Amino acid sequence: MLIEVNILKKLLGEERRLELLALLKTAEQPMTGTELAKHTNVSRQVIVNDMNLLKARNEPIVATSQGYIYMHNVQQTRLQRKIVCMHNPNEAKEELFILVDCGVTVESVIVEHPVYGEITASIMVSNRLEVEHFVKRVQETNALYLSALTDGTHLHVISSASEESLNLAEAKLRQRGFLIEN
């Protein structure tokens, strides 16, 4: 009786990093470290190290809450805006829902730390399902939102294909009392 065994070849060093780049450049959705690790038959930690090495070479790779993306895959015609918000941690999901329901992508969150200066983290959520996954991940890991470092005050970089969506998002946040203005 012949048993066929499918053994994945373990990709080494530079060969693996080239494979990772090719995967990310052609991916239509973010790819998790676990997915990339399975594909290259290495640990997730090796993938994290590879991503850092690729970023050090100025490859436009961003780690989001949904996985890694290659920024050349993102439409460059989107309008961006920075907004300043304040709310308690229990309201983070509501804030993100308001934003994505207006048709914007929440690209990142920024806080001003008294020791480290500006801290920026990628979020990259564009719909309610992505928000649910992001919030679930925060809860499952017992992580704190970055805004916990600043008593709830934080900035978001938001983007949209239209000025109207950005304006609507600001109006809805203002109405809810989350938006801080001059």
Side-chain angles (χ1 to χ4, degrees), residues 83 85-87 91-100 106 154 156 173 178:
I83 57 173
C85 298
M86 184 175 175
H87 56 76
E91 297 167 319
K93 183 176 176 179
E94 179 184 358
E95 174 205 46
L96 294 172
F97 275 169
I98 289 170
L99 291 165
V100 300
V106 183
H154 57 285
H156 281 300
L173 290 175
F178 290 162

Side-chain angles (χ1 to χ4, degrees), residues 82-182:
K82 277 187 182 177
I83 57 173
V84 183
C85 298
M86 184 175 175
H87 56 76
N88 67 51
N90 304 356
E91 297 167 319
K93 183 176 176 179
E94 179 184 358
E95 174 205 46
L96 294 172
F97 275 169
I98 289 170
L99 291 165
V100 300
D101 287 350
C102 291
V104 306
T105 296
V106 183
E107 294 187 6
S108 61
V109 60
I110 304 166
V111 296
E112 186 68 34
H113 191 274
V115 175
Y116 299 111
E118 190 174 277
I119 300 172
T120 303
S122 177
I123 296 179
M124 296 305 284
V125 294
S126 300
N127 58 55
R128 282 182 170 251
L129 182 60
E130 292 173 350
V131 170
E132 290 283 359
H133 287 294
F134 174 75
V135 171
K136 182 179 178 188
R137 190 143 182 236
V138 170
Q139 292 168 343
E140 287 176 348
T141 60
N142 290 320
L144 296 175
Y145 292 102
L146 280 184
S147 60
L149 299 172
T150 56
D151 294 325
T153 303
H154 57 285
L155 287 86
H156 281 300
V157 175
I158 59 174
S159 66
S160 176
S162 75
E163 190 80 27
E164 293 79 21
S165 293
L166 295 172
N167 291 339
L168 179 61
E170 281 192 12
K172 295 283 186 179
L173 290 175
R174 183 179 300 111
Q175 183 180 25
R176 180 58 181 86
F178 290 162
L179 192 67
I180 296 178
E181 300 178 277
N182 296 339

Side-chain angles (χ1 to χ4, degrees), residues 6 47 102:
N6 184 11
I47 297 299
C102 291

Side-chain angles (χ1 to χ4, degrees), residues 13 17 21 40 46 63 72 75-77 99 115 119 121 124 128:
R17 286 184 282 281
L21 272 177
T40 55
V46 169
H72 289 175
Q75 268 189 329
Q76 299 299 322
T77 58
L99 291 165
V115 175
I119 300 172
M124 296 305 284
R128 282 182 170 251

